[in-house]
Amino acid sequence: MIRLENVDKVYRTERVETLALQNINLDVPSGEFVSVMGPSGCGKSTLLNLIGLLDAPSSGELQLDKEKVAKWGDKHLAKFRNEKLGFVFQSFHLVPDLKVVDNVEIPLLYRKMSGSERRKLAKDALDRVGLSSRVGHFPTQLSGGQQQRVAIARAIVGRPRILLADEPTGNLDSAMGDEIMDILHDLNKTDGTTIVMVTHDDRFARRTDRIVRLFDGRQVA
Amino acid sequence: MINNYIKLALKVLARRKFFTFISLFGISLTLVVLMVATAIGDNLFAPRKPQSRFDRVLGVYVISLRSDQGSHTGPPGYGFLDKNLRGLPGAENMSIFSTISGTVLYHEGRRIETYIKRADGAYWQILDFDFVEGGPYSQADDDAGRFVAVISDELRTRLFGRNAALGRTFEADGMRFRVVGVVRGVPITRYAGFSEIWVPTHTTKIDNFRRANTGSFNGIVLAHSRSDFDGLRSAFAERISHFKFDDPREFNQLVAGLDTPFEGVARVMTNNQFDRKASNVVRTVFLVMALLFITLPTMNLISINLSRIMERASEIGVRKAFGASSRSLVGQFIVENIVLTVIGGFIGFLLSVAAIAALNGSGWIPHASFDINFRIFLWGMLIAAIFGVISGVWPAWRMSRMHPVNALRGGVA
């Protein structure tokens, strides 16, 4: 499902060149739940951004769903992100001006779909994360755990094959973190969604199928 | 999707009240000025009473006599119009009337400053005044030089109070005129129709005006339809090509033409320097002025939009992550900006209605009757929408270029 071969990522400024990732080789088969661990600044989020097509490798090859992504243009990248990828961020990134249900609808706005169909799918996704009673609320009216569940509903509303979660429990207490992990597990087991999760928490990492460890941009395990 | 954008736009505007106020203030104030200018322009040039037929009228309002030694530009004389305009093939009717001149009436011990215009009988057939008393004088009255007059209802009040004016007399320019008709007042912006007193041309004391090439007269020709304009213009051009100069040593070139009301104003504004091209010159100058005028608020709106975008970087990152292409983000932001400017346009429209009412009531322009009609409203909304697109495109393009990772960090494009 996800394959990285000899991937490097270099950030260049006028004076400094930073090697964020170096010779990464990773193969994540369909349906696997992988966690990525490592100290801050080791390149975890950079790796997730590359897999999520939010950034491009400096060298090496990235394949998603058996397709090489190197030469894709903006339109193709946007379409792939929309149809096959879902994102969950540490700080939720919900749009404060939109109601919960409107936030969840965002990925569906970029598909050809009627408004009523969009609304139904968004409500189904919220139901799945146990928030059907909060449809008309605004994000600021929800707790951190609830906001992250909204973010997960938004990530899964378009039924993506791959879910990328960047420290989804990082801003939550352990009980709420457990709730989020339960939801992710359910998605992985029930729907067969491939999940790559960046985390600092060993306890959550141990609940995944495999742990990839990074240190100073290199894969160490 | 558009509904979603509009909904979001309204919410963003409601949340950022100060930015919204500044933006709407700039947009609506700009539009008030443009709409009031358009209303005045519409009032000047659109065919309205008593110039309802002016969509079929061509006129000679200014002519130039030139030579290497110098030039004279001004209204034509009665003689020039009588020779060159009368009997033009293809014309339904024609009239010669004087430019307005100020005059002072002394009536029952009171001094009344007013305006007088001399006109022939055909003037009343081409222009459609609203008579509140009596009717117009005839061509026979003009030919005989009878001392009859039509006055405006406002002058009637100043002269005779609330009493009927028909048959009553007043003295103007040292002659006593008998009132045969009273018309509803005409705003000064309707150049051909405006006056307070209208009297027959041939009541003038001096007779040499009949032969003069230059002077203080205008001539108008009523065509059967606008399709006859070209023919009338050619016929007039052919006639004046045989023009005989009084003294060819003084002037040996004549520049004159049959103009629509707008072309006439353009010719006067450009002092007849561009002949038939005057209207294009004036139109371009107005357009450039309008563009310059909206440049400042546009720049202001662009700057506000850019800072608004930076505040919403995270949302842009999220939308990109979930499949928004650069193109759809540009579309979203332009729609949001059009919503803002159309709201500004609507407020501007309401303020324009108030400004026009104040202008009409101020008495600065005699009998002013400016109004904002549906056509002006549509123009205003169109200007607002264009304003929205122009001020939205650059910020939207910047936004769409924002790197999604940077955007999600809340930052730099």
Side-chain angles (χ1 to χ4, degrees), chain B residues 314-371:
Chain B
S314 153
E315 180 196 330
I316 292 157
V318 166
R319 288 185 183 273
K320 284 206 161 188
F322 283 104
S325 62
S326 298
R327 202 169 161 185
S328 60
L329 283 172
V330 169
Q332 176 192 344
F333 201 75
I334 289 177
V335 167
E336 282 189 22
N337 213 44
I338 288 175
V339 168
L340 175 74
T341 47
V342 166
I343 292 172
F346 194 71
I347 295 171
F349 172 71
L350 296 179
L351 290 176
S352 304
V353 171
I356 290 288
L359 191 62
N360 284 340
S362 68
W364 293 339
I365 301 170
H367 309 295
S369 62
F370 303 119
D371 55 10

Side-chain angles (χ1 to χ4, degrees), chain B residues 282-303:
Chain B
V282 168
R283 203 172 277 129
T284 307
V285 169
F286 280 158
L287 198 66
V288 169
M289 278 167 63
L291 281 176
L292 286 176
F293 184 72
I294 64 169
T295 298
L296 199 64
T298 305
M299 300 297 276
N300 176 42
L301 201 56
I302 287 173
S303 146

Side-chain angles (χ1 to χ4, degrees), chain B residues 3 5 21 27 29 31 69 85 94 137 140 186 189 200 210 216 220 246 278 303 310 333 347 360 375 401:
Chain B
N3 283 347
Y5 290 168
F21 169 75
I27 297 162
L29 202 68
L31 280 169
Q69 271 77 48
L85 214 55
M94 72 82 69
Y137 53 80
V186 178
T189 48
R210 290 171 189 274
S216 55
I220 52 174
D246 293 337
S303 146
M310 292 309 158
F333 201 75
I347 295 171
N360 284 340
R375 188 171 60 233
R401 302 265 300 171

Side-chain angles (χ1 to χ4, degrees), chain A residues 75-191:
Chain A
K75 207 171 164 183
H76 198 155
L77 289 168
K79 188 170 159 48
F80 192 91
R81 282 197 292 256
N82 181 248
E83 291 174 356
K84 303 210 173 154
L85 299 175
F87 294 86
V88 179
F89 306 101
Q90 181 180 358
S91 50
F92 324 133
H93 284 309
L94 299 175
V95 181
D97 295 306
L98 294 179
K99 284 180 186 165
V100 161
V101 69
D102 294 323
N103 264 287
V104 175
E105 277 187 13
I106 285 176
L108 305 180
L109 290 175
Y110 307 106
R111 294 188 185 181
K112 280 183 182 157
M113 190 178 278
S114 71
S116 57
E117 197 178 348
R118 221 163 38 217
R119 186 53 52 120
K120 185 186 174 304
L121 289 173
K123 284 183 174 172
D124 288 350
L126 282 165
D127 195 31
R128 179 114 193 239
V129 298
L131 279 180
S132 49
S133 60
R134 297 282 191 269
V135 167
H137 286 61
F138 284 94
T140 47
Q141 296 171 303
L142 305 179
S143 69
Q146 287 172 326
Q147 288 191 48
Q148 194 57 297
R149 282 195 272 160
V150 174
I152 292 173
R154 180 179 62 188
I156 63 170
V157 72
R159 299 193 176 280
R161 306 273 315 272
I162 302 168
L163 188 66
L164 303 168
D166 193 355
E167 299 197 44
T169 58
N171 280 359
L172 307 175
D173 62 32
S174 62
M176 281 185 181
D178 281 330
E179 277 181 26
I180 297 302
M181 281 306 291
D182 291 344
I183 294 170
L184 294 178
H185 262 283
D186 179 57
L187 286 168
N188 177 245
K189 298 298 170 211
T190 315
D191 298 4

